Amino acid sequence: QKEVEQNSGPLSVPEGAIASLNCTYSDRVSQSFFWYRQYSGKSPELIMSIYSNGDKEDGRFTAQLNKASQYVSLLIRDSQPSDSATYLCAGGSNTGNQFYFGTGTSLTVIP
Amino acid sequence: SAVISQKPSRDICQRGTSLTIQCQVDSQVTMMFWYRQQPGQSLTLIATANQGSEATYESGFVIDKFPISRPNLTFSTLTVSNMSPEDSSIYLCSVRDGYNEKLFFGSGTQLSVL
């Protein structure tokens, strides 16, 4: 099993809808998780971090962590065309040095 | 978060040549990393740049191909040596926020090898 697995999509949602991005992780991943947004031709930009079980909200973004199921998700409410990008899920390794990245989910928000 | 400057932003190189990518951070950081992102792929860690000692390379990456320097806590370079078209990729410098473990990226270097 890969350390971090992500549904690769692509995912299309209409403007104003909720976009749901999902990620699972293995035992090699520690309890720190991150979501990055990457626009085409640009470097990844950190948008959310989550360390504790449950939900963490920041504006239109909500990260959810379920340690029992080894599952982390990102919800984007009121999706905007500017949210169209690839979203990368990442987790820190148990050794603390390395990050494991998922393959990314391409999101398109249709006006 | 740290401001990370990376250059060049892009380059087109001939097969067999080498390119050195520079990464400058506006504050001292303990951990600096070099990643590669091949077209349509996710991020792959090349190595951890250690200040004052040799870099730590991940499986599949060797020092002869990707020599790294880390002369101080704000600067690192990655050289892609004896390039082939398979080295065409985006190369990313990143730093770790020691306080809360967040990882931040430079703007990247888009490398094309002909």
Side-chain angles (χ1 to χ4, degrees), chain A residues 32-37 43-49 51 88-93 96-101, chain B residues 1-2 4 29-35 43-45 47-48 92-106:
Chain A
S32 56
F33 298 92
F34 308 88
W35 283 97
Y36 289 83
R37 178 176 62 200
S43 63
E45 172 194 10
L46 179 67
I47 55 172
M48 288 289 286
S49 59
Y51 304 95
L88 297 164
C89 171
S93 74
N97 290 334
Q98 184 171 167
F99 270 45
Y100 297 112
F101 284 88
Chain B
S1 62
I4 307 166
V29 293
T30 304
M31 307 187 80
M32 293 179 75
F33 306 90
W34 288 97
Y35 282 84
L43 303 170
T44 301
L45 180 63
T48 302
L92 294 156
C93 168
S94 66
V95 303
R96 194 80 176 261
D97 181 331
Y99 174 69
N100 57 12
E101 303 182 342
K102 295 176 182 177
L103 189 71
F104 297 98
F105 290 90

Side-chain angles (χ1 to χ4, degrees), chain A residues 48-85:
Chain A
M48 288 289 286
S49 59
I50 185 165
Y51 304 95
S52 303
N53 217 24
D55 295 1
K56 179 181 178 183
E57 187 174 316
D58 184 1
R60 296 186 295 111
F61 298 97
T62 299
Q64 299 174 318
L65 175 59
N66 184 324
K67 295 179 181 179
S69 301
Q70 294 184 293
Y71 177 94
V72 59
S73 65
L74 179 70
L75 300 178
I76 306 174
R77 291 183 302 281
D78 188 24
S79 296
Q80 301 297 309
S82 58
D83 295 325
S84 298

Side-chain angles (χ1 to χ4, degrees), chain B residues 68-87:
Chain B
I68 287 170
S69 78
R70 178 88 193 270
N72 55 53
L73 292 176
T74 64
F75 186 78
S76 178
T77 67
L78 168 75
T79 298
V80 186
S81 303
N82 188 26
M83 288 184 285
S84 67
E86 291 71 35
D87 294 319

